[in-house]
Amino acid sequence: MGESGRGKAILVGPMGSGKSTVGRALAQRLGAELVDLDAVIVERAGRAIPEIFAAEGEAGFRDREQAALEEVAARPGPLVVATGGGVVLREANRRTMAANGTVVYLRADVETLLERTAGDANRPLLQVNDPRAKLEALQAEREPLYRQAHLIVDTPGRTAQEVAEEILARLDSADPGAVD
Ligand code: S3P
């Protein structure tokens, strides 16, 4: 895959699309390091995501997210990067991702997202009365941004291994930034 051996696969998609689990499977297959962007944010902030939202608001979290993305994008590859669902909101982030790797959109329907995120207290945006409506609204806003990815891969009904296999097979023919 690729020629430089320094590429990055950057996974984007909504909460519950499987970015972390697919990222783990993909990194293992590639022999690449996995970086979880949310984990970088938490480490730098010294507090958990719900606490960042509570203390600094969503805007504070987005500033931290952008800084973490820029930091990770500057690291040498090969890397697999699992992002948070809202990373695509800022145009600067979309540019950073597209310029530094192959961006892969993990697509899933709202029903699947709802099942995979049920009862998770670590996602402040879903601590609402009607998480289904929230996921639908977020998806309506973000889907056009996710679709700017180099690759789009469907995840419902498939294991992380199967999804990782498809990504691997398609990285070859994707952007020259492909992971090696
Ligand atoms: C968010 C998704 C979360 C996390 C934060 C905000 C979002 O990451 O970054 O809670 O805006 O969709 P996951 O997609 O890994 O749950």
Side-chain angles (χ1 to χ4, degrees), residues 12-20 36-38 41 49-50 53 58 61-62 65 82-89 117 120 122-126 135 138 142 146:
V12 302
M15 294 177 272
S17 58
K19 300 180 294 290
S20 299
D36 187 310
L37 204 60
D38 281 344
I41 296 166
I49 288 177
F53 269 73
E58 182 171 347
F61 175 81
R62 296 296 169 211
E65 183 174 55
T83 64
V87 77
V88 295
L89 290 170
T117 56
D120 187 343
N122 204 38
R123 292 179 166 112
L125 294 178
L126 297 183
L135 283 167
L138 290 174
R142 297 173 176 181
Y146 292 138

Side-chain angles (χ1 to χ4, degrees), residues 8-25:
K8 299 184 184 76
I10 304 173
L11 308 182
V12 302
M15 294 177 272
S17 58
K19 300 180 294 290
S20 299
T21 46
V22 170
R24 207 171 302 128

Side-chain angles (χ1 to χ4, degrees), residues 55-180:
E56 304 170 22
E58 182 171 347
F61 175 81
R62 296 296 169 211
D63 288 342
R64 289 186 177 279
E65 183 174 55
Q66 182 172 349
L69 178 66
E70 283 164 11
E71 182 194 319
V72 170
R75 293 186 194 173
L79 276 188
V80 175
V81 183
T83 64
V87 77
V88 295
L89 290 170
R90 291 194 176 177
E91 189 187 0
N93 291 349
R94 301 198 297 275
R95 282 180 196 273
T96 298
M97 292 191 290
N100 285 279
T102 303
V103 184
V104 183
Y105 168 25
L106 300 186
R107 186 163 58 185
D109 55 279
V110 168
E111 199 58 42
T112 301
L113 300 176
L114 200 57
E115 282 168 23
R116 291 183 185 155
T117 56
D120 187 343
N122 204 38
R123 292 179 166 112
L125 294 178
L126 297 183
Q127 308 312 304
V128 293
N129 285 335
D130 190 348
R132 178 191 300 272
K134 183 67 184 181
L135 283 167
E136 281 168 355
L138 290 174
Q139 193 58 3
E141 179 190 10
R142 297 173 176 181
E143 158 87 4
L145 307 175
Y146 292 138
R147 294 185 62 85
Q148 294 175 17
H150 299 110
L151 295 178
I152 301 177
V153 180
D154 284 311
T155 66
R158 306 171 72 193
T159 66
Q161 291 295 338
E162 288 166 344
V163 175
E165 287 297 332
E166 181 181 339
I167 295 170
L168 273 176
R170 293 174 62 194
L171 276 175
D172 273 334
S173 52
D175 189 71
V179 172
D180 205 85

